[in-house]
Amino acid sequence: MASSQPKKDRPNARFHGRVEAPGRLCAEAGCDQAGEFRAPPLGGTGHTADGPPQFRWLCLEHVRAFNSGYNFFKGMSPDEIHDAQRPLAGWERETRAFNATGGTDRPPRWADFADPLDAIGARFRDRVKDRGERKDGKPLSGPDREALKTLDLEIDADRAGLRKRYSELVRKFHPDRNGGDRSNEDRLRRVIAAYQQLKGSPAFA
């Protein structure tokens, strides 16, 4: 009864690097074994600029002989060999993925990122709002925050928005606009005080 195990001198189909191709012979002159293992051509690496890389196909015996004679340092000068053997060889330069500037001469800006759904911007605004900070980074004092509440303004309101809201509330609460009704005078005084507070604040400078 024949054994189902492959012979030791012929690896099975799962052997690393083996590529079967019926009829393809070993590239070594005079060898009639199947060429199942890839090796670079004798004249170089096999890689070309305008097409797929070129390779020789060798049998197991000849690819083992090729591998045993391979010399990474072949053709290098003594100085080049020394540089290649240093422990940090190849690590002197940061890769783009780990470079703080992304491989450019400046850090990336928000405008460099495509955000069609405004996902980054929306998260940023929510985070800033939760912390009670303005997007422009201008500081808000405690009285500033109280004044914004009085005028019912968002934390990132600008100077134009402040003036518009003030005008709306003055028209709403001023007695001359309400047939002489003075029931909202206290609210009007608070609106005027809030406007004066914010008008002089660094956040609205």
Side-chain angles (χ1 to χ4, degrees), residues 54-116:
Q54 304 298 314
F55 299 101
R56 290 183 300 151
W57 291 93
L58 304 175
C59 66
L60 179 60
E61 179 183 351
H62 285 118
V63 82
R64 282 174 172 167
F66 169 80
N67 289 339
S68 66
Y70 178 73
N71 182 3
F72 176 82
F73 302 106
K74 184 178 181 180
M76 290 187 181
S77 68
D79 288 341
E80 290 171 334
I81 293 174
H82 177 268
D83 289 341
Q85 289 178 323
R86 288 184 299 107
L88 298 180
W91 291 93
E92 293 88 350
R93 181 179 176 185
E94 290 179 302
T95 61
R96 187 166 184 246
F98 294 98
N99 193 306
T101 62
T104 66
D105 58 357
R106 60 167 176 77
R109 299 169 299 191
W110 281 110
D112 296 333
F113 296 93
D115 188 20

Coordinates of all heavy atoms in Angstrom, one line a residue, residues 54-116:
Q54 N 10.3 40.3 -13.2 CA 10.7 39.1 -13.9 C 11.5 38.2 -12.9 O 12.3 38.6 -12.1 CB 11.7 39.4 -15.1 CG 11.0 40.4 -16.1 CD 9.8 39.9 -16.7 OE1 9.8 38.7 -17.2 NE2 8.7 40.7 -16.8
F55 N 11.2 36.9 -13.1 CA 11.9 35.9 -12.2 C 12.4 34.7 -12.9 O 11.9 34.4 -14.0 CB 10.9 35.5 -11.1 CG 10.3 36.6 -10.2 CD1 9.1 37.1 -10.4 CD2 11.1 37.1 -9.2 CE1 8.6 38.1 -9.6 CE2 10.6 38.1 -8.4 CZ 9.4 38.6 -8.6
R56 N 13.3 34.0 -12.2 CA 13.6 32.6 -12.7 C 12.9 31.6 -11.8 O 12.6 31.9 -10.7 CB 15.1 32.4 -12.5 CG 16.0 33.1 -13.4 CD 17.5 32.7 -13.2 NE 17.9 33.0 -11.8 CZ 18.8 32.3 -11.2 NH1 19.4 31.3 -11.8 NH2 19.2 32.6 -9.9
W57 N 12.5 30.5 -12.4 CA 11.9 29.4 -11.6 C 12.8 28.3 -11.5 O 13.3 27.7 -12.5 CB 10.6 29.0 -12.3 CG 9.6 30.1 -12.3 CD1 9.3 31.1 -13.2 CD2 8.7 30.4 -11.2 NE1 8.4 31.9 -12.8 CE2 7.9 31.5 -11.6 CE3 8.4 29.8 -10.0 CZ2 6.9 32.1 -10.7 CZ3 7.4 30.3 -9.1 CH2 6.7 31.4 -9.5
L58 N 13.1 27.9 -10.2 CA 14.1 26.8 -10.0 C 13.4 25.7 -9.2 O 12.4 25.8 -8.6 CB 15.2 27.4 -9.1 CG 15.9 28.6 -9.6 CD1 16.9 29.1 -8.6 CD2 16.6 28.3 -11.0
C59 N 14.1 24.5 -9.3 CA 13.6 23.4 -8.5 C 14.1 23.6 -7.1 O 14.8 24.5 -6.8 CB 14.2 22.1 -9.1 SG 16.0 22.0 -9.0
L60 N 13.7 22.7 -6.2 CA 14.0 22.9 -4.8 C 15.5 22.8 -4.6 O 16.1 23.6 -3.8 CB 13.3 21.8 -4.0 CG 13.6 21.8 -2.4 CD1 13.1 23.1 -1.8 CD2 12.9 20.6 -1.8
E61 N 16.2 21.9 -5.2 CA 17.6 21.8 -5.0 C 18.4 23.0 -5.4 O 19.2 23.6 -4.7 CB 18.2 20.6 -5.8 CG 19.7 20.4 -5.7 CD 20.2 19.3 -6.5 OE1 19.4 18.5 -7.1 OE2 21.4 19.1 -6.6
H62 N 18.0 23.6 -6.6 CA 18.7 24.8 -7.1 C 18.3 26.0 -6.4 O 19.1 27.0 -6.2 CB 18.5 24.9 -8.6 CG 19.3 23.9 -9.4 ND1 18.7 22.9 -10.2 CD2 20.7 23.7 -9.5 CE1 19.7 22.2 -10.8 NE2 20.9 22.7 -10.3
V63 N 17.1 26.1 -5.9 CA 16.7 27.3 -5.1 C 17.4 27.3 -3.8 O 17.8 28.4 -3.2 CB 15.2 27.5 -5.0 CG1 14.6 26.6 -3.9 CG2 14.8 28.9 -4.8
R64 N 17.6 26.1 -3.2 CA 18.4 26.0 -2.0 C 19.8 26.5 -2.2 O 20.4 27.2 -1.4 CB 18.3 24.6 -1.4 CG 17.0 24.2 -0.7 CD 17.0 22.8 -0.3 NE 15.8 22.5 0.5 CZ 15.4 21.2 0.8 NH1 16.1 20.2 0.3 NH2 14.4 21.0 1.5
A65 N 20.4 26.1 -3.3 CA 21.8 26.4 -3.6 C 21.8 28.0 -3.8 O 22.8 28.6 -3.4 CB 22.2 25.7 -4.9
F66 N 20.8 28.5 -4.5 CA 20.8 30.0 -4.7 C 20.7 30.7 -3.3 O 21.5 31.7 -3.1 CB 19.6 30.4 -5.6 CG 19.4 31.8 -5.6 CD1 20.1 32.7 -6.4 CD2 18.4 32.4 -4.8 CE1 19.9 34.0 -6.5 CE2 18.1 33.8 -4.8 CZ 18.9 34.6 -5.7
N67 N 19.8 30.2 -2.5 CA 19.6 30.9 -1.2 C 20.9 30.8 -0.3 O 21.2 31.8 0.4 CB 18.5 30.3 -0.4 CG 17.1 30.7 -1.1 OD1 17.0 31.6 -1.8 ND2 16.1 29.8 -0.8
S68 N 21.6 29.7 -0.4 CA 22.8 29.5 0.5 C 23.9 30.4 0.0 O 24.8 30.8 0.8 CB 23.2 28.1 0.4 OG 23.7 27.7 -0.9
G69 N 23.9 30.8 -1.3 CA 25.0 31.7 -1.8 C 24.6 33.1 -1.9 O 25.4 34.0 -2.3
Y70 N 23.4 33.5 -1.4 CA 22.9 34.9 -1.5 C 23.7 35.7 -0.5 O 23.9 35.4 0.7 CB 21.4 34.9 -1.1 CG 20.9 36.3 -1.2 CD1 20.7 37.0 -2.3 CD2 20.5 37.0 0.0 CE1 20.2 38.3 -2.3 CE2 20.0 38.3 0.1 CZ 19.9 38.9 -1.2 OH 19.4 40.2 -1.2
N71 N 24.1 36.9 -0.9 CA 24.9 37.8 -0.1 C 24.3 39.2 -0.2 O 24.4 39.9 -1.2 CB 26.4 37.8 -0.6 CG 27.2 38.7 0.3 OD1 26.7 39.3 1.3 ND2 28.5 38.9 0.0
F72 N 23.6 39.6 0.9 CA 23.0 40.9 0.9 C 24.0 42.0 0.7 O 23.6 43.1 0.1 CB 22.3 41.1 2.3 CG 21.7 42.4 2.5 CD1 20.4 42.7 2.0 CD2 22.3 43.4 3.2 CE1 19.8 43.9 2.2 CE2 21.7 44.7 3.4 CZ 20.5 44.9 2.8
F73 N 25.2 41.9 1.1 CA 26.2 42.9 1.1 C 27.0 42.9 -0.2 O 27.9 43.7 -0.4 CB 27.1 42.8 2.3 CG 26.4 42.9 3.6 CD1 26.3 41.8 4.3 CD2 25.9 44.1 4.0 CE1 25.7 41.8 5.6 CE2 25.3 44.1 5.3 CZ 25.1 43.0 6.0
K74 N 26.6 42.1 -1.2 CA 27.4 42.0 -2.4 C 27.3 43.3 -3.2 O 26.3 43.9 -3.4 CB 26.8 40.9 -3.3 CG 27.6 40.6 -4.6 CD 27.0 39.5 -5.3 CE 27.8 39.2 -6.6 NZ 27.2 38.1 -7.4
G75 N 28.5 43.8 -3.6 CA 28.6 45.1 -4.3 C 28.6 46.3 -3.5 O 28.8 47.4 -4.0
M76 N 28.6 46.2 -2.1 CA 28.6 47.3 -1.3 C 30.1 47.6 -0.9 O 30.9 46.7 -0.8 CB 27.9 47.1 0.0 CG 26.4 47.1 -0.1 SD 25.6 47.0 1.5 CE 23.8 46.9 1.1
S77 N 30.4 48.9 -0.6 CA 31.7 49.3 -0.2 C 31.8 49.0 1.3 O 30.7 48.8 2.0 CB 31.9 50.8 -0.4 OG 31.0 51.5 0.4
P78 N 33.0 49.0 1.9 CA 33.1 48.7 3.4 C 32.3 49.7 4.2 O 31.7 49.3 5.2 CB 34.6 48.9 3.6 CG 35.2 48.5 2.3 CD 34.3 49.0 1.3
D79 N 32.2 51.0 3.8 CA 31.5 52.0 4.5 C 30.0 51.7 4.4 O 29.2 51.9 5.4 CB 31.7 53.4 4.0 CG 33.1 53.9 4.4 OD1 33.7 53.3 5.3 OD2 33.6 54.8 3.7
E80 N 29.5 51.3 3.3 CA 28.1 51.0 3.1 C 27.7 49.8 3.9 O 26.6 49.7 4.5 CB 27.8 50.7 1.6 CG 27.8 52.0 0.8 CD 27.7 51.7 -0.7 OE1 28.1 50.6 -1.2 OE2 27.3 52.6 -1.5
I81 N 28.6 48.8 4.0 CA 28.3 47.6 4.8 C 28.2 48.0 6.3 O 27.3 47.5 7.0 CB 29.4 46.5 4.5 CG1 29.3 46.0 3.1 CG2 29.3 45.4 5.6 CD1 30.4 45.0 2.8
H82 N 29.1 48.8 6.7 CA 29.2 49.3 8.1 C 27.8 50.0 8.4 O 27.2 49.8 9.5 CB 30.3 50.2 8.3 CG 30.4 50.8 9.7 ND1 29.8 52.0 10.0 CD2 30.9 50.3 10.9 CE1 30.0 52.2 11.3 NE2 30.6 51.2 11.9
D83 N 27.4 50.9 7.5 CA 26.2 51.6 7.8 C 24.9 50.7 7.8 O 24.0 50.9 8.6 CB 25.9 52.7 6.7 CG 26.9 53.8 6.8 OD1 27.5 54.0 7.9 OD2 27.1 54.6 5.8
A84 N 24.9 49.7 7.0 CA 23.8 48.8 6.9 C 23.7 47.9 8.1 O 22.7 47.3 8.4 CB 23.9 47.9 5.6
Q85 N 24.9 47.7 8.8 CA 24.9 46.8 10.0 C 24.7 47.5 11.3 O 24.6 46.8 12.3 CB 26.3 46.1 10.0 CG 26.5 45.0 8.9 CD 27.9 44.4 9.0 OE1 28.8 45.1 9.3 NE2 27.9 43.1 8.7
R86 N 24.5 48.8 11.2 CA 24.3 49.5 12.5 C 22.9 49.2 13.0 O 22.0 48.9 12.3 CB 24.3 51.1 12.2 CG 25.7 51.6 12.0 CD 25.7 53.1 11.9 NE 24.9 53.6 10.7 CZ 23.7 54.1 10.9 NH1 23.2 54.3 12.1 NH2 23.0 54.5 9.8
P87 N 22.7 49.1 14.4 CA 21.5 48.7 15.0 C 20.3 49.5 14.5 O 19.2 49.0 14.4 CB 21.7 48.8 16.5 CG 23.2 48.7 16.6 CD 23.8 49.3 15.4
L88 N 20.5 50.8 14.3 CA 19.4 51.7 13.9 C 19.3 52.0 12.4 O 18.7 52.9 12.0 CB 19.6 53.1 14.7 CG 19.5 53.0 16.2 CD1 19.6 54.4 16.8 CD2 18.2 52.4 16.6
A89 N 20.0 51.2 11.6 CA 20.0 51.4 10.2 C 18.6 51.3 9.6 O 17.8 50.4 9.9 CB 20.8 50.3 9.5
G90 N 18.2 52.4 8.9 CA 16.9 52.4 8.3 C 15.8 53.1 9.2 O 14.7 53.3 8.7
W91 N 16.2 53.5 10.4 CA 15.2 54.1 11.3 C 15.5 55.5 11.6 O 14.9 56.1 12.5 CB 15.2 53.3 12.7 CG 14.7 51.9 12.5 CD1 15.3 50.8 12.3 CD2 13.3 51.6 12.6 NE1 14.5 49.7 12.2 CE2 13.2 50.2 12.4 CE3 12.1 52.3 12.8 CZ2 12.0 49.5 12.4 CZ3 10.9 51.6 12.8 CH2 10.9 50.2 12.6
E92 N 16.5 56.1 10.9 CA 16.8 57.5 11.2 C 15.7 58.5 10.8 O 15.6 59.5 11.4 CB 18.1 57.9 10.4 CG 19.4 57.2 10.9 CD 19.6 55.9 10.1 OE1 18.6 55.5 9.4 OE2 20.6 55.3 10.3
R93 N 14.9 58.1 9.9 CA 13.9 59.0 9.4 C 12.5 58.5 9.7 O 12.2 57.3 9.5 CB 14.0 59.2 7.8 CG 13.0 60.1 7.2 CD 13.2 60.2 5.7 NE 12.2 61.0 5.1 CZ 12.1 61.2 3.8 NH1 12.9 60.6 3.0 NH2 11.1 62.0 3.3
E94 N 11.7 59.4 10.3 CA 10.3 59.0 10.7 C 9.5 58.7 9.4 O 9.6 59.3 8.4 CB 9.6 60.1 11.4 CG 10.1 60.4 12.8 CD 9.4 61.5 13.4 OE1 9.4 62.6 12.8 OE2 8.8 61.3 14.5
T95 N 8.7 57.6 9.5 CA 7.8 57.4 8.4 C 6.7 58.4 8.4 O 6.4 59.0 9.4 CB 7.2 56.0 8.5 OG1 6.4 55.9 9.7 CG2 8.3 54.9 8.5
R96 N 6.0 58.6 7.3 CA 5.0 59.6 7.2 C 3.9 59.4 8.3 O 3.3 60.3 8.8 CB 4.3 59.6 5.8 CG 3.4 60.8 5.6 CD 3.1 60.9 4.1 NE 2.3 62.1 3.9 CZ 1.0 62.0 3.5 NH1 0.5 60.9 3.2 NH2 0.3 63.1 3.3
A97 N 3.5 58.1 8.5 CA 2.4 57.9 9.5 C 2.8 58.3 10.9 O 1.9 58.7 11.6 CB 2.1 56.4 9.5
F98 N 4.1 58.4 11.2 CA 4.5 58.7 12.6 C 5.1 60.1 12.7 O 5.5 60.6 13.7 CB 5.5 57.7 13.2 CG 4.9 56.4 13.3 CD1 5.0 55.4 12.4 CD2 4.1 56.1 14.5 CE1 4.5 54.1 12.6 CE2 3.5 54.8 14.6 CZ 3.7 53.9 13.7
N99 N 5.1 60.8 11.5 CA 5.7 62.2 11.5 C 4.7 63.2 12.0 O 3.5 63.1 11.5 CB 6.2 62.5 10.1 CG 7.1 63.7 10.0 OD1 6.7 64.7 10.5 ND2 8.2 63.5 9.4
A100 N 5.1 64.1 12.8 CA 4.1 65.0 13.4 C 3.5 65.9 12.3 O 2.4 66.4 12.5 CB 4.8 65.9 14.5
T101 N 4.3 66.2 11.2 CA 3.7 67.0 10.2 C 3.2 66.3 9.0 O 2.9 66.8 8.0 CB 4.8 68.0 9.7 OG1 5.9 67.2 9.1 CG2 5.4 68.8 10.8
G102 N 3.1 64.9 9.1 CA 2.5 64.1 8.1 C 3.4 64.1 6.8 O 2.9 64.0 5.7
G103 N 4.7 64.4 7.0 CA 5.6 64.3 5.8 C 5.7 65.7 5.1 O 6.3 65.8 4.0
T104 N 5.1 66.7 5.6 CA 5.1 68.0 5.0 C 5.9 69.0 5.9 O 6.4 68.6 6.9 CB 3.7 68.6 4.8 OG1 3.1 68.8 6.1 CG2 2.8 67.6 4.1
D105 N 6.1 70.2 5.4 CA 6.9 71.2 6.2 C 6.0 71.9 7.2 O 6.5 72.9 7.8 CB 7.6 72.2 5.3 CG 6.6 72.9 4.4 OD1 5.4 72.6 4.5 OD2 7.0 73.8 3.6
R106 N 4.8 71.5 7.4 CA 3.9 72.2 8.4 C 2.9 71.1 9.0 O 2.6 70.1 8.3 CB 3.1 73.3 7.8 CG 2.2 72.8 6.6 CD 1.2 73.9 6.2 NE 0.4 73.5 5.1 CZ -0.6 72.6 5.2 NH1 -0.9 72.1 6.3 NH2 -1.3 72.3 4.1
P107 N 2.4 71.3 10.2 CA 1.4 70.4 10.7 C 0.1 70.5 9.9 O -0.2 71.5 9.3 CB 1.2 71.0 12.1 CG 2.3 71.8 12.4 CD 2.8 72.4 11.1
P108 N -0.6 69.4 9.8 CA -1.9 69.4 9.1 C -2.9 70.4 9.7 O -2.9 70.6 10.9 CB -2.4 68.0 9.2 CG -1.7 67.4 10.4 CD -0.4 68.1 10.5
R109 N -3.7 71.0 8.8 CA -4.7 72.0 9.3 C -6.1 71.3 9.2 O -6.2 70.3 8.4 CB -4.7 73.2 8.5 CG -3.4 74.0 8.5 CD -3.3 75.1 7.5 NE -3.4 74.6 6.2 CZ -3.2 75.3 5.1 NH1 -2.9 76.5 5.1 NH2 -3.4 74.7 3.9
W110 N -7.1 71.8 9.9 CA -8.4 71.3 9.8 C -8.9 71.3 8.3 O -9.6 70.4 7.9 CB -9.4 72.1 10.6 CG -9.3 71.7 12.1 CD1 -8.8 72.5 13.1 CD2 -9.7 70.5 12.7 NE1 -8.9 71.8 14.3 CE2 -9.4 70.6 14.1 CE3 -10.3 69.3 12.2 CZ2 -9.7 69.5 15.0 CZ3 -10.5 68.3 13.1 CH2 -10.2 68.4 14.4
A111 N -8.5 72.3 7.6 CA -8.9 72.5 6.2 C -8.4 71.4 5.3 O -8.9 71.1 4.2 CB -8.5 73.8 5.6
D112 N -7.3 70.7 5.8 CA -6.7 69.6 5.0 C -7.6 68.3 5.0 O -7.3 67.4 4.2 CB -5.3 69.2 5.5 CG -4.4 70.4 5.3 OD1 -4.6 71.2 4.4 OD2 -3.4 70.5 6.1
F113 N -8.5 68.2 5.9 CA -9.3 67.0 6.1 C -10.6 67.1 5.4 O -11.3 68.1 5.5 CB -9.5 66.7 7.5 CG -8.3 66.4 8.3 CD1 -7.6 67.4 9.0 CD2 -7.7 65.1 8.3 CE1 -6.4 67.1 9.7 CE2 -6.6 64.8 9.0 CZ -5.9 65.8 9.7
A114 N -11.0 66.1 4.6 CA -12.3 66.1 4.0 C -13.3 65.6 5.0 O -13.1 64.5 5.5 CB -12.3 65.2 2.7
D115 N -14.3 66.3 5.2 CA -15.3 66.0 6.3 C -16.7 66.3 5.7 O -17.4 67.2 6.2 CB -15.0 66.8 7.5 CG -15.9 66.3 8.7 OD1 -16.4 65.2 8.7 OD2 -16.1 67.1 9.7
P116 N -17.2 65.5 4.7 CA -18.4 65.9 4.0 C -19.6 65.8 4.9 O -20.6 66.5 4.7 CB -18.5 64.8 2.9 CG -17.6 63.7 3.3 CD -16.5 64.4 4.1

